[in-house]
Amino acid sequence: MPEDNPIANYLKRHVPVSDEEAAQFSAAFREVKIRKRQFIVQPEFIVKNRNYVLKGAFRAYVVDDKGQDSTIAFAIEDWWITDYNSYILQKPATMFVVALEDSIILEISHEKEQALKKANHLYETFFRIRAERTAAFMQQRIISNLTQNAEERYYQFIEKYPQIVQRVPQYALASYLGMTTEFLSRIRNKRMTKNS
Amino acid sequence: MPEDNPIANYLKRHVPVSDEEAAQFSAAFREVKIRKRQFIVQPEFIVKNRNYVLKGAFRAYVVDDKGQDSTIAFAIEDWWITDYNSYILQKPATMFVVALEDSIILEISHEKEQALKKANHLYETFFRIRAERTAAFMQQRIISNLTQNAEERYYQFIEKYPQIVQRVPQYALASYLGMTTEFLSRIRNKRMTKNS
DNA sequence: AAGTAGTTCAGGAAATTTGGTTGAACTGGT
DNA sequence: ACCAGTTCAACCAAATTTCCTGAACTACTT
């Protein structure tokens, strides 16, 4: 029977755990409400948590020397988000992670995660699977950035993640896809600049 | 002669320091521009700085379990603001501090503050005075909350801080004074609910 | 030299959010 | 039954954000 414990369910979808193991796992998480525009990760601070999005939407981005920001990741319901570089290596973050809507996350601290992994090999397996998926996902993105042009990247994105397109502002999507908002606007409206 | 170094001046107004001491003190501060709606303190993050407002306006507030927010403090030019509980004890903040306008602050880090206090007894005295004033101020506020009704608190506030009333949104003032925005709106418009 | 893919800048329209007001019904204490 | 104050919902104006568009520009190909 599918319980209404999202984290336990998530775990069960990936590793063969008992109900008790799933319950123990989910007990390590804390539910936190995050208001729109609130940051859950900021540069300079060491990231304490890995976050599962229960409700809402987030954007992870970096800001370069001249104020230009690049979106690193989005996350909506049932996705995970944090600055993994900071979280995993426990060093200061370089990214911002901000709520795009009023949201609810389930967060697990780095210490608790370590404890879980030590306690039960299946949890270790789970996090390994997560990491592998994340890596695979990122590799796909790198490839797409190298091989596709702006318009192709956009159409691939709306096909793969239609739910996200509807929920994030266009400037965020543009900066995720590596183009200007103006150019994205033009792609959408199919009317490319031309000298009449 | 009054210099145009606001922090050095501030210090001199409170402890008998030489020009060199004042200069050394002010050198520990860093000027930072903050945009309207930007947070300088967020829950969970350990507060690194004590902030002197050079220009602009800030609001410190907490949000309780059921989304209700209470304003803890305001700060405008020549005031200080931070989450002192987090700053002093170096533990995670529970408050937000947000810019109500585009602003400029002078921030000093916790480490630099420690170094200053160690280096010169007068700096220690200065921070002691600051803390005492803050405590006295808070006590007044507690008393006023216990003994006055909403309307009295409002009129006392506009008398004591007319500059602030003009610059902060009404919902922020209401939540500072411990009443709903609707009720404050009614006090202002003198037209209390009445059954005709 | 001309086309392609994309950027920058600026103005403006459209959509959303914010801040404030008001009426009406309600609560808890006296 | 009254007082001080809250809650809820609707509403409005103003401010802000988001998006769109034109025009001029850059850098690479061909």
Side-chain angles (χ1 to χ4, degrees), chain B residues 1-2 8 19 30 60 66 68 71 74 97 102 126 128 130 142 145 160 171 173 175 187 191:
Chain B
M1 72 228 41
D19 287 352
R30 191 166 73 103
K66 251 345 178 218
Q68 162 102 337
T71 298
F74 293 115
V97 178
D102 288 351
F126 170 78
R128 191 211 75 223
R130 283 259 68 246
I142 290 166
N145 284 334
K160 277 173 102 168
Y171 67 81
L173 182 53
S175 88
I187 290 175
R191 205 182 301 102

Side-chain angles (χ1 to χ4, degrees), chain A residues 37 169-171 182 185-186 189 191 193:
Chain A
R37 268 191 211 115
Q170 213 153 108
Y171 66 80
E182 292 95 330
S185 170
R186 282 181 241 264
N189 299 305
R191 204 182 299 102
T193 311

Side-chain angles (χ1 to χ4, degrees), chain B residues 1-43:
Chain B
M1 72 228 41
E3 328 164 25
D4 80 337
N5 182 330
I7 278 285
N9 274 335
Y10 194 101
L11 180 69
K12 286 182 173 180
R13 293 207 302 276
H14 294 86
V15 286
V17 287
S18 67
D19 287 352
E20 302 81 59
E21 286 169 324
Q24 181 197 23
F25 186 82
S26 91
F29 288 79
R30 191 166 73 103
E31 186 172 320
V32 184
K33 288 198 182 99
I34 310 290
R35 292 258 231 101
K36 181 173 178 174
R37 258 180 222 130
Q38 190 181 331
F39 292 95
I40 57 172
V41 171
Q42 292 221 128

